Amino acid sequence: MDPVEAVKGADAVYTDVWTSMGQENETDKRLAVFTPYQVNRGLMSHAQSDAVFMHCLPAHRGFEVTDEVIDSSASVVFDQAENRLHVQKALLAMLARS
């Protein structure tokens, strides 16, 4: 899929790391495939003007996302991480009571 078409008019643009733990031997192959999908200012310009950027962290800056996007006012990555923290705490509390 064309990345511009994928984000056209989007309210949120979400990405993840291109190479997860245990897949390090595929890094070069994945870089070749995913580089056109890097979330940068140009790609974000095709989303809604008030679109948010999301990433589950940790991000590899300069690969799946540029510093300019992850540090922008459109980025909600730290709010997203905080929400996950509360969910994880609730799960631990529930498990501790079991």
Side-chain angles (χ1 to χ4, degrees):
M1 171 171 258
D2 175 38
V4 171
E5 284 298 315
V7 303
K8 191 176 285 183
D11 294 312
V13 177
Y14 197 121
T15 192
D16 197 358
V17 295
W18 293 344
T19 304
S20 296
M21 290 188 302
Q23 298 173 323
E24 291 84 359
N25 60 327
E26 300 176 10
T27 298
D28 292 338
K29 179 181 175 185
R30 288 171 174 268
L31 284 175
V33 171
F34 291 125
T35 296
Y37 296 90
Q38 180 188 61
V39 181
N40 52 44
R41 179 175 38 169
L43 189 61
M44 287 294 292
S45 72
H46 296 281
Q48 294 288 332
S49 61
D50 60 346
V52 296
F53 170 73
M54 301 177 77
H55 193 296
C56 60
L57 299 179
H60 295 108
R61 292 167 177 257
F63 290 93
E64 69 266 12
V65 62
T66 60
D67 289 339
E68 186 174 43
V69 170
I70 201 167
D71 292 334
S72 74
S73 61
S75 178
V76 295
V77 297
F78 295 114
D79 293 325
Q80 186 182 359
E82 182 181 12
N83 289 339
R84 280 196 319 276
L85 172 66
H86 297 305
V87 169
Q88 292 161 350
K89 289 182 343 187
L91 284 170
L92 285 173
M94 181 184 75
L95 292 170
R97 284 181 272 189
S98 297

